[in-house]
Amino acid sequence: MTEYTDRYMDALRLKGDPLADATVEALFGTGEVGRYNTLMRWFTTSGQALPEGLPDAARDYLHATATPPDWIDWGVMEQARQFFLDNDVHVSTALSFAAMPACYVVPHVAKLLSATHSLAYPSRRMAETGQFTVYLMQPDAFQAGGRFLPAAQKVRLLHASIRRHLKEEGRWPEPVAICQEDMLGGLMMFSIQVLDALHRMGVHITAEGADAYYYAWRVVGTILGIDLGTIPPDLPAAREFSDRYMVRHMGPSPEGAHLTRQLIDMYEQVVPGTLLDPIVPALIRYLVGDTSADWLQVPRTRFDSLIGLAPALLGALEWVEDRGPWAEYISDRLGHLVTMLELSSLTRGRVMHYAIPQELKSDFGVPSKNARWTPPGPAL
Amino acid sequence: MLCLAAGFADVVAEGLRGLTRRVPGPAEVRQELRARGELALRRSGAAPEAHMEVLARRAAARLRDG
């Protein structure tokens, strides 16, 4: 087993994603990014013919990445899909309230997320991640007509373009932004750390389910340009890498606190009324623990001590599910409905396009709620 | 007969006195309920520490030690 020493991890910080980086370099070199974005808007499903007039570099890249890796065990992928179907609400909750704060508690990741334009609008970012996961878990995700691979192809170029922008503008203190170590770190947040959160929420998961869920994310990692040889092969190795990565980098940052505030605000707006608003910060605090929550300036609320009861409530729900197929069916449908509502309230019915940004917004301050426009005072 | 009646009355009165002595006031009821509630919450809500908390403490130590 690979030992995840500081030296090993430091070496990963120097590597980007050569294939996507070269593609983006060529697109910017020939000034064809605009054309790529316009044409790719309508390219959304696998097997669809590539649009006419696509720049050569993009065409070559899209051909090279059009098929899933040949080592995929489709039986395990089906298990992963079942796992996601069974736990969709829980997984979405863990992604929002554990995986996102985990990104924010790594200061350089928080800075990176702050520095990129679309992240000024967290709902868009969440919608993109959410839709990406939903695409992944469709039965036909990798077949002709599936939406996952084209989305992944675009996300990979999006990452490469951010890498290039930050380097060009000299805004990144390290040689490579979104390096292999950070991509692996992100993969850990969406995989093993989501499983950690499910465990903490008291969701019953089987060992096979957990393994399959992790396997699916290994596939995703490869498709998104992570070197397969460096992806931890199983959950024990992932535990090792994830812990090492977090301890190396975790800490407070103004950007992390700012993004967390946005995340909380966004969910408070999604949940109708104000009575349940404090649940969101309480859940984040419960999932990430007090030290991280304090670093992220998650407010303390009156729900903090009550949220510990959540596992008991979930246990009660599962007890109901075990009463019979009808109860399970109804509960699953309700869960699916909640996930869809949660997602559609973010995407507002849009298909997310993962376009390559032509430039990074130089001022990435987000207008605060107080900065509302008010009419000029009376002139007379 | 009179003595019997008086004795009976005395027993009842004694019982009532004892009963009223044992009935707690609203403040005590509240205190008792709150204490029981806290115990119940601690019992059912006692989750182990978040995994992330353990890591954060190690990271904090690492930050302190430079």
Side-chain angles (χ1 to χ4, degrees):
Chain A
M1 194 176 110
T2 313
E3 260 199 70
Y4 301 123
T5 57
D6 278 338
R7 203 169 140 199
Y8 174 82
M9 309 284 261
D10 286 341
L12 293 176
R13 294 209 74 71
L14 301 174
K15 291 183 193 152
D17 174 2
L19 175 62
D21 289 342
T23 308
V24 163
E25 199 54 53
L27 287 177
F28 275 96
T30 49
E32 292 172 311
V33 175
R35 191 146 59 94
Y36 162 87
N37 280 339
T38 309
L39 291 171
M40 287 306 282
R41 221 179 150 74
W42 313 112
F43 180 77
T44 52
T45 51
S46 291
Q48 197 182 336
L50 288 175
E52 288 291 324
L54 204 61
D56 288 344
R59 182 171 296 275
D60 293 346
Y61 163 83
L62 291 167
H63 272 305
T65 54
T67 46
D70 53 10
W71 49 264
I72 295 184
D73 182 332
W74 296 102
V76 183
M77 287 303 279
E78 178 56 22
Q79 269 182 298
R81 198 176 70 81
Q82 293 291 343
F83 176 85
F84 186 75
L85 278 181
D86 278 348
N87 297 293
D88 51 0
V89 181
H90 307 321
V91 171
S92 312
T93 306
L95 282 171
S96 307
F97 303 125
M100 293 312 289
C103 295
Y104 301 161
V105 85
V106 175
H108 67 264
V109 174
K111 281 190 181 70
L112 180 104
L113 295 177
S114 292
T116 53
H117 175 77
S118 76
L119 274 301
Y121 308 98
S123 67
R124 179 166 150 194
R125 156 95 188 151
M126 292 300 295
E128 285 176 346
T129 312
Q131 199 165 67
F132 190 77
T133 320
V134 169
Y135 285 167
L136 168 67
M137 292 301 164
Q138 297 300 313
D140 63 349
F142 295 94
Q143 295 165 14
R147 290 172 181 273
F148 175 71
L149 279 173
Q153 287 176 308
K154 292 180 191 180
V155 168
R156 196 168 163 184
L157 287 190
L158 173 66
H159 286 170
S161 68
I162 291 169
R163 206 175 280 128
R164 183 182 182 277
H165 284 309
L166 289 174
K167 191 176 176 185
E168 289 280 299
E169 295 171 21
R171 298 224 329 247
W172 200 247
E174 291 182 273
V176 183
I178 318 188
C179 61
Q180 288 280 327
E181 192 202 8
D182 287 337
M183 289 200 283
L184 281 162
L187 197 68
M188 297 299 110
M189 291 165 189
F190 290 113
S191 57
I192 188 165
Q193 292 185 26
V194 162
L195 293 172
D196 287 341
L198 295 182
H199 175 69
R200 190 155 173 75
M201 291 193 287
V203 179
H204 294 214
I205 42 182
T206 61
E208 291 79 24
D211 283 338
Y213 179 79
Y214 181 66
Y215 184 88
W217 278 102
R218 286 186 74 217
V219 171
V220 174
T222 318
I223 292 175
L224 286 183
I226 304 180
D227 180 3
L228 178 63
T230 64
I231 303 180
D234 49 25
L235 281 169
R239 167 90 296 142
E240 177 85 20
F241 187 97
S242 172
D243 288 4
R244 183 79 53 185
Y245 177 79
M246 295 310 286
V247 172
R248 263 164 72 82
H249 299 295
M250 278 171 109
S253 71
E255 291 84 0
H258 181 75
L259 288 163
T260 307
R261 186 65 250 164
Q262 285 183 319
L263 180 77
I264 293 172
D265 283 349
M266 184 184 82
Y267 274 97
E268 285 179 354
Q269 282 160 16
V270 171
V271 179
T274 54
L275 186 69
L276 296 177
D277 283 358
I279 284 189
V280 173
L283 187 55
I284 294 178
R285 184 170 280 276
Y286 175 72
L287 290 176
V288 304
D290 276 331
T291 306
S292 304
D294 288 345
W295 280 341
L296 296 173
Q297 296 175 22
V298 176
R300 290 183 181 271
T301 75
R302 62 182 185 279
F303 281 92
D304 283 355
S305 54
L306 280 178
I307 206 84
L309 294 176
L313 290 178
L314 282 174
L317 264 182
E318 292 199 354
W319 180 84
V320 172
E321 281 192 7
D322 290 345
R323 292 308 93 190
W326 280 105
E328 190 180 343
Y329 176 78
I330 292 171
S331 155
D332 277 356
R333 295 317 300 166
L334 275 176
H336 183 68
L337 196 67
V338 171
T339 316
M340 284 300 135
L341 274 177
E342 222 176 336
L343 180 66
S344 60
S345 67
L346 295 174
T347 57
R348 300 195 192 95
R350 291 170 297 177
V351 172
M352 310 314 288
H353 286 298
Y354 314 103
I356 295 183
Q358 300 245 32
E359 57 185 61
L360 288 181
K361 215 173 133 205
S362 53
D363 172 15
F364 44 85
V366 180
S368 77
K369 277 184 188 164
N370 303 332
R372 281 178 62 178
W373 178 82
T374 46
L380 297 173
Chain B
M1 186 66 192
L2 189 67
C3 286
L4 268 181
F8 183 71
D10 189 46
V11 166
V12 171
E14 179 77 359
L16 278 177
R17 264 201 300 278
L19 207 65
T20 48
R21 256 204 310 278
R22 255 176 276 134
V23 170
E28 283 168 273
V29 170
R30 203 184 141 92
Q31 195 182 1
E32 172 72 13
L33 282 178
R34 180 176 284 267
R36 275 173 178 271
E38 276 170 15
L39 276 177
L41 276 183
R42 217 174 297 157
R43 196 168 53 236
S44 48
E49 232 166 19
H51 183 75
M52 196 79 108
E53 178 62 19
V54 180
L55 302 181
R57 289 207 192 123
R58 286 190 55 190
R62 197 177 157 124
L63 287 175
R64 267 198 309 274
D65 301 342

